[in-house]
Amino acid sequence: MNPNHTLCYFEIPSTDLEASSKFYGELFAWKFFPSDENYTVFETESVGGGIEKKDSIGECAVNLYIQVEDIETCRARAGEFGGKTRQGKTAIHDGEYGYYAMIEDPVGFVMGIWSKT
């Protein structure tokens, strides 16, 4: 695999860095390292990223999908942490390529979660 063609970093927009950091930290166990009042960096098991403070959350041009063990459990946990489901568990090609759902974080950023089953 060519390391120049893999995901190496991603950014999530947020109107509230504290709320977003808490949500993702609790939901996915990401570790956060505040940079300044407008940005915080995080680590995951595979790739890192940042949360950037914005005045508003617009439609994101890139769909972000996070792999999870169980979509229904993740959707329920997202609700516990202030998120909500935008689209329930959906099969991709009758489940041949797994399943996905769309969730929204507490400040309105929408992302996908994906699992094989």
Side-chain angles (χ1 to χ4, degrees), residues 17 21 31-42 51:
L17 292 180
S21 297
K31 295 179 183 151
F32 288 84
F33 307 94
S35 178
D36 60 38
E37 68 274 359
N38 294 313
Y39 202 84
T40 188
V41 175
F42 58 84
I51 298 179

Coordinates of all heavy atoms in Angstrom, one line a residue, residues 17 21 31-42 51:
L17 N -16.1 23.7 20.9 CA -15.0 22.7 21.0 C -15.2 21.8 22.2 O -14.9 20.6 22.1 CB -13.7 23.4 21.1 CG -13.2 24.1 19.8 CD1 -11.9 24.8 20.1 CD2 -13.2 23.2 18.7
S21 N -15.5 17.8 21.8 CA -14.4 17.0 22.4 C -15.0 16.0 23.4 O -14.6 14.8 23.4 CB -13.4 17.8 23.1 OG -12.8 18.7 22.2
K31 N -8.5 10.7 22.3 CA -7.8 11.5 23.3 C -7.6 12.9 22.7 O -7.2 13.0 21.5 CB -6.4 10.8 23.6 CG -6.6 9.5 24.3 CD -5.2 8.9 24.6 CE -5.5 7.5 25.2 NZ -4.4 6.6 24.9
F32 N -7.8 13.9 23.5 CA -7.8 15.3 23.0 C -6.7 16.1 23.6 O -6.3 15.9 24.8 CB -9.1 16.0 23.3 CG -10.2 15.5 22.4 CD1 -10.9 14.3 22.7 CD2 -10.5 16.1 21.2 CE1 -11.9 13.8 21.8 CE2 -11.5 15.6 20.3 CZ -12.2 14.5 20.7
F33 N -6.1 17.0 22.8 CA -5.0 17.9 23.2 C -5.3 19.3 22.7 O -5.0 19.6 21.5 CB -3.7 17.4 22.6 CG -3.4 15.9 23.0 CD1 -3.8 14.9 22.1 CD2 -2.9 15.5 24.2 CE1 -3.6 13.6 22.4 CE2 -2.6 14.2 24.5 CZ -3.0 13.2 23.6
P34 N -5.9 20.1 23.6 CA -6.3 21.5 23.1 C -5.1 22.2 22.6 O -4.0 22.2 23.2 CB -6.8 22.1 24.4 CG -7.3 21.0 25.2 CD -6.3 19.9 24.9
S35 N -5.2 22.9 21.5 CA -4.2 23.7 20.8 C -4.3 25.1 21.2 O -3.4 25.8 21.6 CB -4.2 23.5 19.3 OG -3.3 24.2 18.7
D36 N -5.5 25.7 20.9 CA -5.8 27.1 21.3 C -7.3 27.2 21.4 O -8.0 26.2 21.4 CB -5.2 28.1 20.3 CG -5.7 28.0 18.9 OD1 -6.9 27.7 18.7 OD2 -4.9 28.2 18.0
E37 N -7.8 28.4 21.6 CA -9.3 28.6 21.8 C -10.1 28.2 20.5 O -11.3 28.1 20.6 CB -9.6 30.0 22.3 CG -9.4 31.1 21.2 CD -7.9 31.6 21.2 OE1 -7.1 31.1 22.0 OE2 -7.7 32.5 20.4
N38 N -9.5 28.0 19.4 CA -10.2 27.7 18.1 C -9.9 26.3 17.6 O -10.3 26.0 16.5 CB -9.9 28.8 17.1 CG -10.4 30.1 17.5 OD1 -11.6 30.2 17.9 ND2 -9.6 31.2 17.4
Y39 N -9.1 25.5 18.3 CA -8.7 24.3 17.7 C -8.2 23.3 18.8 O -7.6 23.7 19.7 CB -7.5 24.5 16.7 CG -7.3 23.4 15.7 CD1 -8.1 23.4 14.5 CD2 -6.5 22.3 15.9 CE1 -7.9 22.4 13.6 CE2 -6.3 21.3 15.0 CZ -7.0 21.4 13.8 OH -6.9 20.4 12.9
T40 N -8.6 22.0 18.6 CA -8.1 21.0 19.5 C -7.7 19.8 18.6 O -8.3 19.5 17.6 CB -9.1 20.6 20.5 OG1 -8.5 19.7 21.5 CG2 -10.4 20.0 20.0
V41 N -6.6 19.1 19.0 CA -6.1 18.0 18.2 C -6.6 16.7 18.9 O -6.7 16.7 20.2 CB -4.6 18.1 18.2 CG1 -4.0 16.8 17.5 CG2 -4.1 19.3 17.5
F42 N -6.8 15.6 18.2 CA -7.1 14.4 18.8 C -6.4 13.2 18.2 O -5.9 13.3 17.1 CB -8.6 14.1 18.8 CG -9.2 14.1 17.4 CD1 -9.2 12.9 16.7 CD2 -9.9 15.2 16.9 CE1 -9.8 12.9 15.4 CE2 -10.4 15.2 15.6 CZ -10.4 14.0 14.9
I51 N -10.4 19.3 15.7 CA -11.7 19.9 15.7 C -11.5 21.4 15.6 O -10.8 22.0 16.5 CB -12.5 19.5 16.9 CG1 -12.8 18.0 17.0 CG2 -13.9 20.3 17.0 CD1 -13.5 17.5 18.2

